Amino acid sequence: MTIDPTPTDDYTRTLPDPALLRSTFAGFPSGVAAIAARVDGADEVIVASSFTVGVSLDPPLVMFAVQNTSRSWQRLKAAPVLGISVLGADQDAACRQLASRDAATRFDGIDAHLASHGGLFVRHAPVWLETTIWSETPAGDHTVVILEITAMFRAEGVEPLVFHGSTFRRLEPLAG
């Protein structure tokens, strides 16, 4: 079977450029995760809207993509254990703060928990995953990081924070 590459009336073929890619990617809703650990006595974190669950059930794997220029990731990946907090619907301000460029104040006022194994978690997040790095794969201007889940916690009834259309949103129940 061959696919006709000719655009239909409702489709205009456009070559990707950075602005169009950003706009297009913003049309796909995603959860937001804080990936954190204490490294050499300092709390390190990156925030990823590229976080993906369900990569594998056996072994249990998740993944995210990080910019190759991230200095935070260079420090964070040295940790033996990474804590992932899937942020909750009411944690948009915490998300902005954790993602700020000022690494020295990212955790100021953030209610965080350092687990005995070294993972750092944001309290009141609906999901915590304790992970270790499974692999890193170069992917253009990013690196895809696959993490193995070694322990987890899920808070029932806490909705996740959703990033869509370049803004934070809350899930709404379907009318029915």
Side-chain angles (χ1 to χ4, degrees), residues 133-170:
I133 297 173
W134 176 271
S135 69
E136 292 183 81
T137 303
D141 61 356
H142 280 66
T143 296
V144 174
V145 182
I146 299 178
L147 303 166
E148 182 174 9
I149 300 168
T150 56
M152 58 194 299
F153 166 79
R154 181 169 182 250
E156 296 294 329
V158 180
E159 295 294 327
L161 182 63
V162 176
F163 192 69
H164 177 252
S166 297
T167 192
F168 295 117
R169 301 181 187 273
R170 295 172 185 253

Side-chain angles (χ1 to χ4, degrees), residues 35-126:
I35 300 145
R38 184 160 290 163
V39 181
D40 296 329
D43 293 344
E44 298 287 347
V45 64
I46 58 171
V47 174
S49 62
S50 61
F51 180 70
T52 303
V53 298
V55 172
S56 171
L57 294 176
D58 187 18
L61 302 175
V62 295
M63 71 179 195
F64 71 98
V66 61
Q67 289 181 337
N68 293 335
T69 57
S70 172
R71 292 186 306 263
S72 296
W73 177 243
Q74 294 308 312
R75 291 185 298 271
L76 194 57
K77 72 180 183 177
V81 174
L82 299 173
I84 298 177
S85 303
V86 176
L87 298 176
D90 61 346
Q91 293 180 310
D92 53 321
C95 180
R96 283 186 187 88
Q97 182 175 330
L98 291 168
S100 75
R101 294 201 181 272
D102 185 1
T105 62
R106 286 182 184 154
F107 281 95
D108 287 358
I110 299 292
D111 191 3
H113 169 71
L114 180 63
S116 60
H117 292 93
L120 186 60
F121 298 95
V122 178
R123 290 192 192 274
H124 311 295

